[in-house]
Amino acid sequence: MTLGKVWPRPDGSEKSVFGGITGVIRRQEKIAVVGVNGAGKSTFLKVLAGQAEPSTGSMNLGANVYPGYFSQHAMDILDPRKTVLETLQDSMPTAHLGTLRNLCAAFLFQGDDIYKRIDKLSGGEKSRVVLATMLVQPINLLILDEPTNHLDIQSRETLLAALQNFTGTVVLVSHDRHFLRCLINRVFEIDHGEMRIYNGNYEYYLEKSGREHRAA
Ligand SMILES: Nc1ncnc2c1ncn2[C@@H]1O[C@H](COP(=O)(O)OP(=O)(O)OP(=O)(O)O)[C@@H](O)[C@H]1O
Ligand SMILES: [Mg+2]
């Protein structure tokens, strides 16, 4: 049975988001999931992350695959009363203060910034905290839904470098073309409920799909 997802509509009818998907994601692939607004990118990532049940077929993780999921609302799971340092401490309970400070610095929290409370942070700062807590976990499959949305250029570059050095698998939705060009080696395009797979980098996808000229 191929992988498919149907969401219920408020009126009780069903909306088929995608269907007929088969495929294998291999170690170390850096995959972009692309498609127009509402195509089903976030839905596909949710199914992949085990956050939503497929309606047909199944998604199986290999042995020793440890997924981490950054949703479009990932920041909401942070405790607003904790500081940046306390939040990172919670995700690395055995780490020394020096290690935690280095991690903070790597995600651009300098000096007293690490004592700022989560509820005082900007959207970009909160995203950085979530991404830092994710990247220190023993995760080897990162599922990221628009992680760069609230990030400024410097933070985007920091995240890009971290993902380029990441030895696991990445499945990513992003509208940031620079990001896609520098990271991606495979593209899944969702179009009218079907998935097309391009086994190449982002330039290859643009060329083969004929989307080069329409590209924003
Ligand atoms: N939890 C849900 N319940 C019901 N319908 C949903 C749910 N989540 C998404 N949908 C519907 O599924 C379709 C695909 O939505 P999805 O969020 O996956 O698209 P997307 O490609 O991520 O869009 P965007 O680029 O705007 O983020 C939309 O029609 C949406 O309204
Ligand atoms: Mg989405």
Side-chain angles (χ1 to χ4, degrees), residues 56-77:
T56 59
S58 61
M59 196 280 304
N60 302 303
L61 290 183
N64 306 315
V65 176
Y66 304 103
Y69 173 54
F70 179 94
S71 78
Q72 281 175 291
H73 312 287
M75 289 119 63
D76 303 345
I77 57 167

Side-chain angles (χ1 to χ4, degrees), residues 107-125:
F107 282 85
L108 312 174
F109 291 101
Q110 314 281 0
D112 283 352
D113 286 353
I114 66 174
Y115 302 113
K116 270 198 197 165
R117 274 171 51 143
I118 298 297
D119 59 3
K120 300 284 186 303
L121 300 182
S122 71
E125 288 171 329

Side-chain angles (χ1 to χ4, degrees), residues 44-65:
F44 179 72
L45 261 57
K46 274 184 196 147
V47 170
L48 205 60
Q51 301 288 314
E53 285 294 315
S55 308
T56 59
S58 61
M59 196 280 304
N60 302 303
L61 290 183
N64 306 315
V65 176

